Amino acid sequence: MTVEVMRTSACAALLPARYAERFAHLDVMEHIPARLGLLSLYPQTDQIIKDVLDWIEQSFHRLQ
């Protein structure tokens, strides 16, 4: 699914090299920025997903 989204949009994604190598139409980015944003789409009513994303964000803030 990730490859299809990349193919049909102007979005980039992180893929394992061994997986990405199967798709000749993908270009490799040699220098990835140190900080990457995270886009998450989920139903507003799904509190469990929101809680998990909040927990992930808080975990990264503690590491800095």
Side-chain angles (χ1 to χ4, degrees), residues 1-41:
M1 184 174 8
T2 303
V3 172
E4 184 63 18
V5 169
M6 291 169 57
R7 189 184 70 73
T8 59
S9 69
C11 297
L14 296 175
L15 297 172
R18 67 181 186 280
Y19 181 78
E21 289 168 355
R22 292 191 251 167
F23 300 93
H25 62 282
L26 297 180
D27 291 325
V28 175
M29 294 174 59
E30 294 292 335
H31 302 286
I32 298 174
R35 294 181 66 98
L36 296 172
L38 172 67
L39 173 64
S40 58
L41 302 172

Side-chain angles (χ1 to χ4, degrees), residues 36-61:
L36 296 172
L38 172 67
L39 173 64
S40 58
L41 302 172
Y42 59 93
Q44 288 180 320
T45 57
D46 197 328
Q47 188 62 42
I48 294 173
I49 294 175
K50 182 180 181 328
D51 290 344
V52 168
L53 292 173
D54 288 344
W55 173 73
I56 292 170
E57 182 178 4
Q58 291 169 11
S59 298
F60 279 102
H61 281 289

